[in-house]
Amino acid sequence: MECTAAGPGSGGGEAGSLAEVLRGRPPMARELPSFDTGRAPDRPGPLFEEWLLGAVRAGVPDAQVVTLSTVDADGRPDARVLVLRDVDAERGAWWFAADADSPKGRQLAATPWAALTVYWPALGRQVRLRGRVETGGAEQAAADFRLRSPAARIAVLVGRQSERLDGDAELADAWREAEAVLDRDPQTVAPSHTLYAVVADEVEFWQGDPGRRHVRLAYTRNPDATWRRGLLWP
Ligand SMILES: Cc1cc2nc3c(=O)[nH]c(=O)nc-3n(C[C@H](O)[C@H](O)[C@H](O)COP(=O)(O)O)c2cc1C
């Protein structure tokens, strides 16, 4: 690829130093685990659990944080990180919680398809999955909400996520009001708090190799809910 005046390697003097810093930091330049695809299970859920727990054991910070990608009404992609709440390994469903009134909630209501991506740096492992998004029931959402810390519940009750904020004072007022609501009735549940499941139809496990011979195993769901799997070129 040719570099433009504003592109990588173009900058002289101090401006060039960021590209140099980036070039000097090749990813995955460390010892990484192997991935014996011949021993992979016949469905992706159990392998995801194994990799996630492996990342937790390896001390990866926030190993349960994943990137959720959605599309907006114009078909433009949008993405943000959030916490994985659970995995139904049998069914192949990945659960997360979000506000139905947030941009992502509205995007999912209009286009109930999403991708989840996670990278665990210490292990050089990435998982990518895509599928249809289902919404959990009100009882399930309420149970999840009540298990949250008071601060997390207040944050959801405050609402208006991703709207323009005029200033700290406005937020402080809304926070106090939400606190008072929770004080009056600790069983209060934010009605827009929602559990979502990405019911995956494609899941890829990617094991990085410092020598660039990455190992990739892709699962695809069959119409009868079994899975077929195969290797991908790196
Ligand atoms: C580590 C981390 C965890 C997060 N967890 C959640 C989460 O579980 N649910 C959520 O809605 N937002 C979570 N967020 C905030 C989202 O990244 C995002 O800012 C917010 O949901 C608004 O997204 P939207 O405007 O696309 O709706 C988290 C952010 C970080 C950095």
Side-chain angles (χ1 to χ4, degrees):
M1 190 186 78
E2 214 166 275
C3 295
T4 62
S10 64
E14 282 176 30
S17 62
L18 177 61
E20 275 165 27
V21 169
L22 297 179
R23 259 199 310 277
R25 296 174 60 86
M28 300 175 295
R30 56 190 161 270
E31 201 177 321
L32 297 175
S34 58
F35 177 22
D36 183 355
T37 56
R39 297 183 53 199
D42 61 6
R43 52 185 58 226
L47 185 55
F48 184 86
E49 282 185 343
E50 186 188 319
W51 277 29
L52 173 57
L53 293 174
V56 170
R57 275 195 301 273
V60 175
D62 297 343
Q64 74 285 27
V65 173
V66 300
T67 299
L68 167 76
S69 302
T70 50
V71 290
D72 71 11
D74 300 321
R76 297 196 316 159
D78 201 356
R80 77 293 288 156
V81 298
L82 45 69
V83 172
L84 200 59
R85 306 292 290 179
D86 201 4
V87 179
D88 182 341
E90 223 12 69
R91 190 167 170 234
W94 277 253
W95 287 92
F96 61 92
D99 192 326
D101 293 335
S102 66
K104 74 183 103 39
R106 289 192 295 271
Q107 289 165 6
L108 288 171
T111 309
W113 292 92
L116 291 178
T117 317
V118 59
Y119 174 55
W120 295 301
L123 301 170
R125 285 179 169 172
Q126 172 185 223
V127 180
R128 306 164 58 183
L129 62 94
R130 305 200 292 168
R132 199 171 167 82
V133 175
E134 292 180 2
T135 304
E139 268 177 38
Q140 196 184 356
D144 178 82
F145 188 81
R146 292 196 180 104
L147 282 173
R148 302 192 143 210
S149 69
R153 275 179 284 160
I154 290 164
V156 181
L157 283 167
V158 163
R160 301 183 60 180
Q161 191 172 49
S162 303
E163 287 180 22
R164 293 281 165 214
L165 174 66
D166 283 336
D168 290 347
E170 198 186 21
L171 177 59
D173 286 347
W175 205 270
R176 263 192 304 275
E177 274 172 38
E179 253 169 349
V181 167
L182 208 57
D183 273 350
R184 276 197 301 276
D185 178 7
Q187 294 305 306
T188 300
V189 171
S192 54
H193 181 69
T194 306
L195 284 172
Y196 295 94
V198 181
V199 182
D201 47 29
E202 289 170 23
V203 186
E204 182 200 327
F205 294 82
W206 190 102
Q207 173 63 66
D209 168 44
R212 298 294 184 269
R213 254 172 90 157
H214 312 307
V215 179
R216 303 176 63 186
L217 180 68
Y219 288 82
T220 308
R221 195 190 285 269
N222 293 319
D224 67 356
T226 59
W227 296 79
R228 61 186 181 280
R229 60 185 191 272
L231 301 175
L232 301 178
W233 284 71

